[in-house]
Amino acid sequence: MTTLSEQDFRVKSDESFERARHALLPLADQEGFEIELSNGVLNVTFEEPTDERFVVSPNAPVRQVWISAMAKSYKLSWAPEVDDFALNGETLPQLLQRLTRAFLSGGS
């Protein structure tokens, strides 16, 4: 595991959040949910099928990106082999897309 400096962590988390936001935009347009990147936090907000919010936030002290979604917590670390934050090989954009599709289809 590579330890990032705080500055590198901030830059890489901002870039990763922007990639994740961009990857979700077509699905958001199709399904009618909101994606907001503000003050370093990415919020994905749904009204259908139920009110739900996914919160993606940087945790600088431990150099991880944390996702709170569907009553679960996911902690992603920097993975230099995929040049992104990842959990079990799944990058932040991939994980958010999978969680979003699962939520929209009624799964968990």
Side-chain angles (χ1 to χ4, degrees):
M1 182 172 117
T2 303
T3 302
L4 301 171
S5 70
E6 185 167 350
Q7 181 178 356
D8 284 344
F9 172 77
R10 298 252 181 235
V11 168
K12 291 185 182 300
S13 63
D14 287 348
E15 291 171 350
S16 185
F17 285 20
E18 186 56 41
R19 279 192 300 275
R21 187 188 72 80
H22 186 20
L24 283 175
L25 281 174
L27 189 57
D29 288 343
Q30 178 184 343
E31 299 290 339
F33 61 88
E34 297 293 322
I35 307 167
E36 180 185 12
L37 182 55
S38 179
N39 297 321
V41 175
L42 182 67
N43 287 289
V44 182
T45 307
F46 305 90
E47 293 180 359
E48 299 292 334
T50 61
D51 284 341
E52 175 73 32
R53 178 181 305 229
F54 296 178
V55 179
V56 185
S57 56
N59 188 321
V62 293
R63 307 293 195 266
Q64 290 181 325
V65 169
W66 289 7
I67 301 173
S68 174
M70 298 184 294
K72 293 183 183 174
S73 174
Y74 304 85
K75 297 177 180 178
L76 292 78
S77 298
W78 180 250
E81 65 277 7
V82 294
D83 196 33
D84 208 338
F85 291 89
L87 178 63
N88 299 324
E90 193 173 29
T91 65
L92 175 62
Q94 292 168 338
L95 179 57
L96 274 179
Q97 283 188 313
R98 181 173 61 79
L99 293 173
T100 298
R101 290 181 190 283
F103 174 74
L104 291 170
S105 69
S108 55

